[in-house]
Amino acid sequence: MSVCPFVALIPARLASTRLPDKPMADIGGKPMVVRVAERAQQSGALRVAIATDAEAIAQAANRAGFEAVLTRADHPSGTDRLAEAARILGLNDDTIVVNVQGDEPLIEPELIARVAQALQTASDCVMSTAAHRLDDPTAFANPNIVKLVTDAQDRALYFSRAMIPFERDARPSGPMPSVSDRLTAAGLPLRHVGLYAYRVAFLKQFPQLTPSPIEGIEALEQLRVLWHGYRIAVHRTAASPAPGVDTPEDLEVVRRLWNRSAT
């Protein structure tokens, strides 16, 4: 697959409340963060680096042949960590960086590349991300699943934990709201996929932007970008991505999927 030049950066830290030492969890004989780096490498990235505050993670990355950058431990978000990593690595301001989450060991390499390409072709945008159509009414109503709406050019209008767009005249047919034929015909609703690309100039600028009220209310960092008037390009992918790892239960699911794919 021919893609634009980009760098993949993987933020990883040991301090996870729901799954301690998560990046070092074993997936098929290797630490999870290394499995993520392998996926990123398969995407065609020019450079893959792990940005971490833990020497143990950096050493695991180096043993596997991957570059690692030690960053401060007090970053409020992965984006802030990547901004520091970009400075340490000396990346040019026009370089495209894809933020590949360190708890996504099953992420499709092609999706990483497509998100980078979406930003490359969107000169009016400072970021890009991904989404897929959501058909499950339970997921549509789940506040842990982030939804979004876009404009005619697939630029993000809003991200929310609520059901958006909300169909005013819809009548619930049971205890759970449905995904109506009207929404389906419009290719809606959309589920956000937490994969981002940035140009380095904006990645460095992001931590300096004032946090927005809607960001705090929804607990969604990307709303800061929209609140300050910047644009985010959205790549629509046909398939839902493989699950990530947040809890011990998630880890067991991913291990089973990994073992199944390896046989």
Side-chain angles (χ1 to χ4, degrees), residues 74-124:
D74 60 348
H75 285 303
S77 73
T79 308
D80 295 86
R81 190 177 309 285
L82 293 195
E84 182 187 1
R87 285 191 293 269
I88 294 172
L89 293 170
L91 299 180
N92 293 330
D93 281 354
D94 59 353
T95 300
I96 290 177
V97 166
V98 180
N99 179 350
V100 184
Q101 297 297 321
D103 54 8
E104 300 280 350
L106 301 178
I107 190 168
E108 286 295 331
E110 182 176 355
L111 182 59
I112 299 171
R114 294 301 182 196
V115 169
Q117 189 68 42
L119 182 56
Q120 173 72 15
T121 58
S123 60
D124 59 318

Side-chain angles (χ1 to χ4, degrees), residues 18 33 44 54 63 66 83 111 117 119 121 124 159 162 219 236-237:
R18 289 184 287 181
V33 69
R63 285 194 298 269
F66 290 103
L111 182 59
Q117 189 68 42
L119 182 56
T121 58
D124 59 318
F159 298 82
R236 295 197 188 208
T237 180

Side-chain angles (χ1 to χ4, degrees), residues 183-230:
L183 287 175
T184 300
L188 299 167
L190 293 175
R191 177 179 182 171
H192 180 228
V193 179
L195 182 67
Y196 300 99
Y198 323 76
R199 292 185 182 86
V200 167
F202 182 75
L203 180 59
K204 292 176 180 177
Q205 181 184 358
F206 179 86
Q208 312 306 320
L209 296 176
T210 305
S212 68
I214 54 174
E215 168 190 356
I217 291 167
E218 293 263 19
L220 296 174
E221 184 182 84
Q222 63 270 34
L223 290 175
R224 187 186 313 181
V225 179
L226 300 182
W227 192 77
H228 282 279
Y230 296 102

